[in-house]
Amino acid sequence: MNLTQLEILQLLQETGYHLTKVSARMNIVQSAVSRQLLLLEDELGAPLFLRHGKRLTGPTPLGEQILAQVSTISQAKRNIKALASDMHNNQKGILHIATTHTQAKYLLPDPISRFRDKYPGVKIYIVQSSPENLIDLLHHHQADIALCTEKVSEDPKLVIRPCYQWHHVIIVPKGHALTSGELNLERLASFPILTYSRGFTGRSNIEKAFDAAGLSLDITLAAADSDIIKTYVRLGFGVGIIAATSYETGVDDDLAVRSLADLIPPSTTKFAYLKDSYLPSYTRYFIDQLIAATHHKAFADKIDAVQGT
Amino acid sequence: MNLTQLEILQLLQETGYHLTKVSARMNIVQSAVSRQLLLLEDELGAPLFLRHGKRLTGPTPLGEQILAQVSTISQAKRNIKALASDMHNNQKGILHIATTHTQAKYLLPDPISRFRDKYPGVKIYIVQSSPENLIDLLHHHQADIALCTEKVSEDPKLVIRPCYQWHHVIIVPKGHALTSGELNLERLASFPILTYSRGFTGRSNIEKAFDAAGLSLDITLAAADSDIIKTYVRLGFGVGIIAATSYETGVDDDLAVRSLADLIPPSTTKFAYLKDSYLPSYTRYFIDQLIAATHHKAFADKIDAVQGT
DNA sequence: TTGCGTTACGACTCTCGTAAGGATG
DNA sequence: CATCCTTACGAGAGTCGTAACGCAA
């Protein structure tokens, strides 16, 4: 048994039990992969994969249990490399951040700029994806940390760290009926609504509030990002409900904004990362900095300014 | 990086950072071990061990963190082998049980005989040790499961499964003053006491009871096993306090026995094993059988018979 | 001086790559 | 017949063992 053989097992699972693809990923020929697999099965004394003729179709029960062990081994192996490289040169590295459009556009630009000033040697990749996909990216090691708002399922393999809390606001063209008068859910529900797609940026909290009030929403447009919503609000399609952080003073001054803090429960944007994975010092710094910054008075004031309008 | 190199790291820790001893354990020459260690340190780009001249004295901070990862890898490796061998031939294997004298002599003989009838191919080793040592044996993989009574510290790496509950009894020579009259802690404390050493077989519960009553014990003899206690009780040294399960009808009929169920809190004997380790099917069977047997009516009656005397 | 770890070099083992073979859809 | 996995064989890389060296108690 050696690490190469165990890597083959893991890649087999990832490629759908396809030796040829595994060999391509490992930059060696098929025959070598085939041989190593057979050698391992021989050493362990039992087949790890089911075969239709010569084709692999899936893991045996034994193979499945062993694959679970292999995944902890490969995680530990990654950690060893990360530890060493962090110790050896903690100013260089790569940081993959998985997040949604909202965070990428309105929250991250500033913290990332400051991070880049402090760690010019660290390459940053922002992987934009739908919220439901973010956690998968972590599990598949295509992202180191994820930043998301929608409720992360209780995954024992993840560490969740709350980052900041915010409220929704409505945006309407100046002069719209909703710019004056009392603002309540019932009145809001009488207008066509433009907001986030299901599973995006606190959408679940919006639904929760209206459901609790026994109201049904007429959602004219559901988008993954605030920009689309703003665009159609400007065209007069209806009332937009977006995150307070997505309203940009200076850029969005043509839109009237009113806080929904009293009507819709607050949403929390959180960091998530794999519990068993070692995070380089610069990654921990990034997380800590962002959490500190969002707890800073200036940041709170910025949100309050919008919400207090 | 390969599994051999990682094994070297682990063995270095176990041998007190001694390359020669590591090479002996691995059945290869020193020079090979030395080379592999240097190659690994070179690959990782930083030393993993501190050196006084050429002698290794301990891990560097990096080495320490990496050793932690290595231990999860080697555990997973063990699990893979155990899984395969269990699947391949689940009638053969080895079972190391770590336990104390009390369990080994009075509880285990019968269940082990029955286990051997069902699994003649499984070799059983009983590792007898002091309670405080049992958990160490698990951590050092010198035992698969431990059976002990004294409180196991809250170790997140262990699974604890309660097995059975029992009470202490006193034993005295027939005709002793304590064979008649009311039995209470105060009266008991007026006699010289013979019982278990600190840390053995529920000794802590005995102390707890007398401490709570504000009584101090005159412990004439503290032994690790019941047999020693019985011997000196027979010689008239005083009153023995032992586990009810240690009183053997037929053998100990010359001793009078009275239950302390109402005076001393009950003790629980438990199984313990490493959370991350795979237990072969026969080991799980052994545990389940023993727990089932001790919950069976006949077993409870046997204890009650002694305690009810 | 002894014990321990590192370095040098030849022998061997192991793994890879090329190439051919067999089986399935 | 195209794709995929297995088997055969020679070339190359990697590891081991012997042996000599450097260093500390």
Side-chain angles (χ1 to χ4, degrees), chain B residues 32-241:
Chain B
V33 177
S34 174
R35 217 176 312 121
Q36 290 305 321
L37 175 59
L38 294 173
L39 279 171
L40 180 61
E41 287 184 319
D42 186 56
E43 178 182 342
L44 296 179
L48 304 180
F49 294 93
L50 299 165
R51 289 164 168 87
H52 267 325
K54 290 190 173 180
R55 249 158 252 235
L56 306 187
T57 57
T60 60
L62 172 63
E64 215 159 323
Q65 294 186 274
I66 288 185
L67 278 168
Q69 300 294 326
V70 170
S71 103
T72 83
I73 290 181
S74 89
Q75 179 63 58
K77 190 177 140 194
R78 254 192 307 280
N79 288 349
I80 289 175
K81 288 182 177 171
L83 277 161
S85 118
D86 196 24
M87 180 68 51
H88 175 263
N89 185 349
N90 56 22
Q91 301 297 311
K92 266 190 185 166
I94 303 177
L95 173 52
H96 288 265
I97 307 173
T99 189
T100 56
H101 175 275
T102 306
Q103 312 304 332
K105 171 149 188 191
Y106 299 103
L107 176 70
L108 292 179
D110 196 45
I112 284 186
S113 299
R114 276 183 285 115
F115 178 81
R116 217 175 28 183
D117 291 343
K118 185 166 168 84
Y119 288 104
V122 175
K123 227 172 153 53
I124 301 179
Y125 291 102
I126 297 186
V127 189
Q128 188 191 331
S129 176
S130 66
E132 54 187 3
N133 214 350
L134 294 177
I135 304 306
D136 276 352
L137 290 174
L138 290 178
H139 281 120
H140 293 118
H141 312 292
Q142 288 161 12
D144 303 308
I145 56 177
L147 187 63
C148 52
T149 302
E150 281 294 303
K151 191 175 174 108
V152 182
S153 63
E154 289 295 326
D155 189 329
K157 290 193 171 177
L158 293 183
V159 176
I160 307 290
R161 292 183 60 187
C163 183
Y164 69 104
Q165 209 182 58
W166 49 268
H167 279 90
H168 287 91
V169 296
I170 62 164
I171 48 171
V172 287
K174 292 230 157 142
H176 188 280
L178 272 180
T179 51
S180 59
E182 198 204 344
L183 188 58
N184 58 45
L185 292 181
E186 199 166 15
R187 191 174 167 212
L188 200 49
S190 69
F191 291 90
I193 299 293
L194 298 81
T195 191
Y196 301 108
S197 304
R198 219 170 271 266
F200 277 78
T201 325
R203 159 85 182 246
S204 60
N205 276 342
I206 300 176
E207 291 181 342
K208 220 176 290 169
F210 283 92
D211 282 355
L215 298 167
S216 72
L217 280 179
D218 168 24
I219 293 181
T220 302
L221 178 140
D225 66 79
S226 321
D227 287 340
I228 307 284
I229 298 171
K230 288 180 197 169
T231 303
Y232 285 89
V233 166
R234 287 194 171 95
L235 294 174
F237 274 59
V239 179
I241 301 182

Side-chain angles (χ1 to χ4, degrees), chain A residues 4-295:
Chain A
T4 310
Q5 291 169 335
L6 298 185
E7 190 186 349
I8 289 174
L9 298 191
Q10 179 145 314
L11 287 176
L12 275 171
Q13 191 176 40
E14 288 177 19
T15 57
Y17 316 104
H18 201 287
L19 282 185
T20 309
K21 288 180 187 167
V22 171
S23 69
R25 280 229 222 163
M26 296 181 75
N27 300 314
I28 53 179
V29 293
Q30 287 148 327
S31 68
V33 177
S34 174
R35 217 176 313 120
Q36 291 303 323
L37 175 59
L38 294 174
L39 280 171
L40 180 61
E41 287 184 319
D42 186 56
E43 178 183 342
L44 296 179
L48 304 180
F49 294 93
L50 299 165
R51 289 164 169 87
H52 268 324
K54 290 189 173 181
R55 250 157 252 233
L56 306 187
T57 57
T60 60
L62 172 63
E64 215 159 324
Q65 293 186 275
I66 288 184
L67 278 168
Q69 299 294 326
V70 170
S71 104
T72 82
I73 289 180
S74 88
Q75 179 62 59
K77 190 177 141 194
R78 254 191 307 278
N79 289 349
I80 289 174
K81 288 181 177 170
L83 276 162
S85 119
D86 195 24
M87 181 68 50
H88 173 263
N89 186 348
N90 55 22
Q91 301 297 312
K92 266 190 185 168
I94 304 176
L95 174 52
H96 288 266
I97 307 174
T99 190
T100 56
H101 176 274
T102 306
Q103 311 304 330
K105 171 147 188 192
Y106 299 102
L107 176 70
L108 291 179
D110 195 45
I112 283 185
S113 300
R114 276 183 285 116
F115 177 82
R116 218 176 28 183
D117 291 342
K118 184 165 167 86
Y119 288 104
V122 175
K123 227 173 153 52
I124 301 179
Y125 291 102
I126 297 186
V127 188
Q128 189 192 330
S129 176
S130 66
E132 53 186 4
N133 214 351
L134 293 177
I135 304 305
D136 276 351
L137 290 174
L138 289 179
H139 281 121
H140 293 118
H141 312 291
Q142 287 162 13
D144 303 309
I145 56 179
L147 189 63
C148 53
T149 302
E150 281 294 303
K151 191 176 173 109
V152 182
S153 63
E154 290 294 326
D155 189 329
K157 289 192 172 176
L158 293 183
V159 176
I160 308 290
R161 292 184 58 187
C163 184
Y164 70 104
Q165 208 181 59
W166 50 267
H167 280 89
H168 287 91
V169 297
I170 62 165
I171 48 173
V172 287
K174 293 230 157 145
H176 188 278
L178 271 181
T179 51
S180 61
E182 198 204 344
L183 188 59
N184 58 43
L185 293 181
E186 200 166 13
R187 189 174 170 213
L188 199 50
S190 69
F191 292 90
I193 299 293
L194 297 80
T195 191
Y196 301 108
S197 305
R198 218 171 273 265
F200 277 78
T201 324
R203 158 86 182 245
S204 59
N205 276 342
I206 300 176
E207 292 182 342
K208 220 176 290 171
F210 283 92
D211 282 355
L215 298 167
S216 71
L217 281 179
D218 168 24
I219 294 182
T220 302
L221 179 140
D225 66 81
S226 322
D227 288 340
I228 307 284
I229 298 171
K230 289 181 198 167
T231 303
Y232 285 89
V233 166
R234 287 193 171 96
L235 294 176
F237 275 58
V239 179
I241 301 183
I242 62 173
T245 42
S246 296
Y247 180 87
E248 291 183 289
T249 321
V251 179
D252 298 328
D253 290 346
D254 58 321
L255 296 172
V257 56
R258 293 184 74 177
S259 172
L260 293 174
D262 300 329
L263 302 177
I264 293 180
S267 299
T268 304
T269 297
K270 328 164 192 70
F271 276 111
Y273 51 84
L274 290 180
K275 180 169 157 260
D276 292 330
S277 82
Y278 173 79
L279 300 184
S281 49
Y282 55 77
T283 304
R284 297 197 301 274
Y285 173 85
F286 178 80
I287 294 175
D288 293 342
Q289 275 303 104
L290 185 48
I291 290 180
T294 50
H295 284 74

